């Protein structure tokens, strides 16, 4: 469930553009007006605003925002204003450029988007960077990480609910054998995780637990410091329980000494129109604190206000 709230009656696109133009004119910027408009428009509406703004004023809205805003608030607004596929392309490009073995953003995008969303992100990557996401992932990653990430970002999974129980049984046995042998990057382990439908993987992992007594992720914790195993565990979590994966990202982002604004911004931006309500429920269940209260405690100013709006917080 999404947390984004869009008014029942939305002003015309030209009116939104006019108001945004006003927010940039005169002394100072009216950040509240930017939040009120962009923070309550869905992706289709935001795309139309960007198109109309460029046609009316001869300027890209993103460039206008970039000139007027700064710091974490600017990053949040600019990411939010992007089309979801463009945003994923940008996040993926940043992840390849700054890639380290603990960076899980590429896997997150590959495993939590639908087949079409991932395809559109790859197409947006072509348009924006004049090369493919696959070639950048291959160029910037190495070893077992490349072996897993490349097929994940190249994937186009079947999305039906049909499940082959015989296949689930066979592949659960296969996964158990490979993990028991510590062959974590075996071709078959990666093949199953990178190509099977989410419904099929769920059936396989349920059979794994029933047959062998442990969640697969428990068996993948042989070495807690091994970053490839950490990536494998997160891959499983993203495919089967994305809300638990995102809850952990938020927990680590908000509960550290010093907030990880990059992770907080990314999760709120990318999930507000998808399932942030489910993630927030999981966050409250796990931490006994509402997500919005945690955001208030760790952020401030216009950045905090827009995060709260996107997280569905309603002022009493």
């Amino acid at each position: 469930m999404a947390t984004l709230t869009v008014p029942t009656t939305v002003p015309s696109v030209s009116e939104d553009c006019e108001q945004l133009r006003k927010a940039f004119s005169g002394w100072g910027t009216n950040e509240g007006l930017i939040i009120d408009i962009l923070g309550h428009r869905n992706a289709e509406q935001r795309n139309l605003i960007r198109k109309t703004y460029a046609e009316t004023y001869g300027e890209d809205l993103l460039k206008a925002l970039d000139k007027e805003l700064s710091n974490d608030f600017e990053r949040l607004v600019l990411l939010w204003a992007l089309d979801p596929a463009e945003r994923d392309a940008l996040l993926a490009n940043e992840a390849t450029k700054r890639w380290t073995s603990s960076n899980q953003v590429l896997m997150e995008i590959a495993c939590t988007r639908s087949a079409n969303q991932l395809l559109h992100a790859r197409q947006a990557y072509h348009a924006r960077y004049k090369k493919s996401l696959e070639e950048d992932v291959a160029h910037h990653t190495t070893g077992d990480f490349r072996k897993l990430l490349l097929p994940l970002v190249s994937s186009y999974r079947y999305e039906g609910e049909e499940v082959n129980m015989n296949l689930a049984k066979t592949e659960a046995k296969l996964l158990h054998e490979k993990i028991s042998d510590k062959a974590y990057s075996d071709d078959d382990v990666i093949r199953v995780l990178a190509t099977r439908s989410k419904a099929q993987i769920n059936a396989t992992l349920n059979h794994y637990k029933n047959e062998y007594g442990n969640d697969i992720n428990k068996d993948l914790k042989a070495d807690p410091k091994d970053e490839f195993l950490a990536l494998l565990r997160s891959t499983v979590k993203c495919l089967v329980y994305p809300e638990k994966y995102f809850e952990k990202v938020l927990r680590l982002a908000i509960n550290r000494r010093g907030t990880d604004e990059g992770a907080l911004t990314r999760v709120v931006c990318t999930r507000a129109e998808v399932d942030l309500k489910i993630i927030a429920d999981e966050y409250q269940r796990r931490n006994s604190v509402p997500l919005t209260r945690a955001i208030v405690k760790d952020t401030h100013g216009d950045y905090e206000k827009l995060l709260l709006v996107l997280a569905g917080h309603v002022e009493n």
Side-chain angles (χ1 to χ4, degrees):
M1 284 173 62
T3 49
L4 174 69
T5 57
V6 177
T8 315
T9 309
V10 178
S12 69
V13 181
S14 56
E15 195 178 327
D16 275 347
C17 290
E18 193 180 320
Q19 289 298 310
L20 285 169
R21 189 72 171 179
K22 277 183 188 168
F24 306 147
S25 57
W27 292 102
T29 306
N30 187 340
E31 288 87 353
L33 194 52
I34 294 169
I35 292 168
D36 285 345
I37 296 170
L38 294 180
H40 292 286
R41 301 292 184 270
N42 63 32
E44 190 180 340
Q45 292 163 335
R46 297 193 308 276
N47 283 343
L48 206 47
I49 289 170
R50 272 180 69 191
K51 184 170 177 284
T52 307
Y53 190 94
E55 288 167 356
T56 308
Y57 301 108
E59 182 181 26
D60 183 350
L61 176 62
L62 295 180
K63 285 184 179 164
L65 290 165
D66 191 31
K67 278 193 293 190
E68 298 293 329
L69 309 177
S70 59
N71 302 325
D72 296 321
F73 179 58
E74 176 190 8
R75 168 79 172 173
L76 178 58
V77 172
L78 290 176
L79 276 181
W80 178 246
L82 284 171
D83 177 78
E86 281 182 280
R87 186 197 302 136
D88 280 346
L90 174 68
L91 291 168
N93 181 257
E94 289 176 350
T96 59
K97 284 180 177 169
R98 301 172 192 169
W99 190 78
T100 65
S101 53
S102 61
N103 187 329
Q104 299 193 345
V105 176
L106 290 167
M107 177 282 303
E108 178 185 303
I109 291 169
C111 295
T112 62
R113 306 318 189 240
S114 70
N116 278 335
Q117 285 168 346
L118 182 55
L119 177 63
H120 292 152
R122 295 208 299 267
Q123 289 168 337
Y125 201 98
H126 285 190
R128 191 176 182 113
Y129 301 109
K130 311 306 176 199
K131 52 187 172 174
S132 73
L133 172 58
E134 295 88 333
E135 68 184 286
D136 271 355
V137 170
H139 177 69
H140 289 283
T141 60
T142 56
D144 288 344
F145 293 93
R146 179 193 287 161
K147 194 174 175 184
L148 174 63
L149 288 169
L150 195 52
L152 284 178
V153 300
S154 310
S155 180
Y156 190 80
R157 295 176 196 274
Y158 175 64
E159 295 197 319
E161 292 302 313
E162 293 85 354
V163 165
N164 181 329
M165 293 311 292
N166 287 332
L167 183 65
K169 190 174 179 181
T170 303
E171 292 191 336
K173 182 172 185 283
L174 177 70
L175 289 173
H176 186 258
E177 285 169 358
K178 300 299 181 186
I179 291 168
S180 298
D181 292 341
K182 296 186 165 39
Y184 305 118
S185 62
D186 184 89
D187 288 351
D188 281 328
V189 174
I190 288 168
R191 174 184 59 77
V192 171
L193 293 178
T195 66
R196 295 297 184 206
S197 73
K198 292 177 184 179
Q200 184 66 41
I201 287 172
N202 197 31
T204 298
L205 299 188
N206 281 340
H207 189 83
Y208 184 105
K209 184 176 182 180
N210 292 340
E211 191 69 23
Y212 305 109
N214 277 342
D215 270 331
I216 192 169
N217 270 2
K218 194 167 182 187
D219 289 344
L220 289 171
K221 270 189 181 162
D223 179 358
K225 290 180 181 173
D226 185 320
E227 288 183 324
F228 180 70
L229 282 184
L231 182 63
L232 267 185
R233 291 195 301 274
S234 292
T235 301
V236 168
K237 209 180 264 190
C238 276
L239 290 169
V240 183
Y241 304 114
E243 71 281 3
K244 292 186 179 180
Y245 167 83
F246 284 116
E247 181 282 323
K248 186 176 181 182
V249 173
L250 289 173
R251 177 165 25 102
L252 294 176
I254 296 173
N255 285 352
R256 279 179 170 168
R257 286 180 184 169
T259 311
D260 179 354
E261 288 86 1
L264 177 57
T265 295
R266 186 182 79 248
V267 174
V268 171
C269 252
T270 58
R271 309 316 291 178
E273 292 182 87
V274 186
D275 56 0
L276 191 55
K277 175 73 172 68
I278 298 165
I279 295 163
D281 288 347
E282 178 66 17
Y283 185 93
Q284 179 155 2
R285 187 192 69 76
R286 182 75 169 65
N287 303 282
S288 305
V289 175
L291 176 60
T292 49
R293 194 186 301 166
I295 288 171
V296 169
K297 185 167 167 284
D298 262 48
T299 61
H300 61 275
D302 295 314
Y303 177 59
E304 175 200 325
K305 286 175 192 168
L306 182 53
L307 283 173
L308 291 175
V309 163
L310 297 180
H313 180 66
V314 180
E315 295 283 350
N316 292 326

